[in-house]
Amino acid sequence: MENDIRLRRIHFRAWHRGTREADMMIGGFFDRYGTEWSEPDLQWFERLLDEDDVDVMAWAIGMQPVPAEYAGPLMDAMKKLDFIEIFE
């Protein structure tokens, strides 16, 4: 039960970033991969949610170097951006 509350809180924070672009990138990333994450992965993502959207987005699209604390397989997955649905 406690984990359900935590996951709902993370989901809310991931989808309510302040801009539609950040919502889609960060929220979409959580929706695509979040159910597969281990406890350390969830902790990583919770720390990432404390960062500014512009920084997270810049890391994900390669406009800024990723800080060492966020570098690794989860950021590599975020950089693929294959979880963002494109509407035409």
Side-chain angles (χ1 to χ4, degrees):
M1 173 114 167
E2 184 175 317
N3 204 39
D4 288 342
I5 293 169
R6 179 183 182 199
L7 291 176
R8 284 196 311 262
R9 184 176 351 107
I10 292 170
H11 181 268
F12 182 87
R13 289 185 65 204
W15 275 102
H16 294 84
R17 304 300 301 171
T19 66
R20 184 80 173 138
E21 295 83 0
D23 291 348
M24 291 177 68
M25 179 180 286
I26 298 168
F29 181 66
F30 178 75
D31 284 354
R32 169 63 180 87
Y33 295 106
T35 59
E36 304 167 7
W37 289 342
S38 65
E39 177 61 27
D41 295 341
L42 286 170
Q43 291 174 3
W44 176 91
F45 191 70
E46 287 176 307
R47 286 191 314 273
L48 186 75
L49 291 174
D50 291 334
E51 298 293 336
D52 289 334
D53 294 344
V54 292
D55 293 330
V56 174
M57 293 176 71
W59 302 332
I61 63 173
M63 296 301 293
Q64 289 182 14
V66 178
E69 66 186 287
Y70 296 113
L74 291 176
M75 184 57 71
D76 292 343
M78 183 178 264
K79 285 181 170 187
K80 290 180 184 176
L81 299 177
D82 61 352
F83 52 89
I84 296 178
E85 190 173 334
I86 305 297
F87 300 99
E88 293 184 35

